[in-house]
Amino acid sequence: MSMFSRAKNRFRRFFQSIFRRSRSRIGIYGPPNAGKTTLANRIVRDCSGDAVGPVSEIPHETRRARRREDVVITGANGNTLALDIVDTPGVTTKIDYHEFLEYGLEQDEAITRAREATEGVAEAMHWLREDINGVIYVMDSTLDPFMQVNIMMVGIIESRDLPVVILANKTDLPDAAPSRIKSAFPQHPVVSVSGLEGTNMDELYDIMTEHFR
Amino acid sequence: MIQGVQIELISADRLKNLTGMEKIRTILDSVMLGNVVVLERGLSPDEQSLLVEYTMMEIRPGGFSGIEMETYPGSEAESGGIFAKIFGGRKKPQGRMTVIGPAGQLKMLKIERDRLVAWASLSSGR
């Protein structure tokens, strides 16, 4: 490599280090069992061939925020965007370990799960105020979108002026009514998806590349 | 001995003079005693976020299991929707009357724009 090329590369790295924008941290938030980890896995698998974490029908399977760095999203519009994706525990105001016993867990296991879940939710709320640049808010489109946790979380996200894309998830289920979510939150982009089947993910990636830039 | 649920109605004036953390402690301390708290004017979004965070820290297996909280859904203008953006910029959302109680003891039966119907049990149900 010539002296000129080395000097040119040094200059390029120097200017990149000064002007390069750090990657946005996009938090995947929503109530328990809305399909956040399934969706995070789908996004990361589509974009890097890997996965974020395990999924389960027992609430609070994700009890610690999991971060996947440098995920490159490419929209059908040709735009690309590098992000850190943070999968968070389901937001709730109550956690009772007895609920986990109903899924066949032993008492000790249920208590440990409850304790970890409370720590995870507290951490996720703290991160929302301190460490997140944008939010994918996931709702189960078979449920009432006017649940208090949804109203509260969208209010918190709006008050912090964070860009948000709302996902009406689980459209593969027969009771899914994504139009209710669109009517409930007309001020935000709402994308109907099935994280499980991977339907309509292209529209999500398009909107992400436009919205989180 | 009379048994019942204590209901604490907290005026907007009282809350106005408290810091965010003082509001959270006032509410949580009361709810952890088994009371139902009614706020004349609710919490700001940041305070709600803090309330959830501190509620999680207070949950103990076999003891306090969290809170039930409900606020009237806001109107379009209050939530900073399109009309608020067009006319007079983004209006800061005002808290609305809010009911907070111990999870398992308080259940919301009906939630409409201007009407909340709640049911409080004497026991935690466990």
Side-chain angles (χ1 to χ4, degrees), chain B residues 20-113:
Chain B
M21 273 313 298
E22 286 170 338
K23 289 180 197 174
I24 303 306
R25 282 285 22 133
T26 302
I27 294 163
L28 263 184
D29 290 349
S30 184
V31 172
M32 287 172 71
L33 289 172
N35 301 334
V36 173
V37 176
V38 181
L39 308 177
E40 184 187 9
R41 176 150 290 170
L43 300 171
S44 72
D46 261 10
E47 289 163 350
Q48 289 178 43
S49 154
L50 273 175
L51 178 61
V52 175
E53 186 177 338
Y54 281 85
T55 297
M56 289 297 121
M57 291 176 185
E58 295 290 355
I59 289 176
R60 299 284 179 274
F64 180 62
S65 64
I67 60 172
E68 195 73 55
M69 175 167 69
E70 200 66 59
T71 306
Y72 301 121
S75 67
E76 181 73 8
E78 281 169 323
S79 63
I82 186 136
F83 294 110
K85 284 174 189 163
I86 293 169
F87 302 109
R90 193 181 177 86
K91 188 179 171 186
K92 197 173 177 182
Q94 293 280 316
R96 304 186 83 198
M97 187 185 278
T98 299
V99 184
I100 305 166
Q105 271 181 269
L106 184 69
K107 189 174 178 187
M108 300 298 165
L109 299 181
K110 201 167 188 138
I111 301 139
E112 295 165 1
R113 189 167 296 284

Side-chain angles (χ1 to χ4, degrees), chain A residues 21-69:
Chain A
R21 194 179 151 204
S22 60
R23 290 187 305 270
S24 290
R25 285 174 301 276
I26 304 303
I28 301 181
Y29 281 82
N33 274 12
K36 296 177 294 300
T37 302
T38 302
L39 185 92
N41 283 338
R42 173 69 60 183
I43 293 173
V44 172
R45 222 174 262 140
D46 283 354
C47 302
S48 70
D50 210 344
V52 173
V55 295
S56 161
E57 64 174 18
I58 307 176
H60 298 290
E61 179 64 23
T62 304
R63 300 184 291 283
R64 280 276 176 272
R66 297 193 187 100
R67 182 183 297 220
R68 178 75 195 199
E69 297 185 340

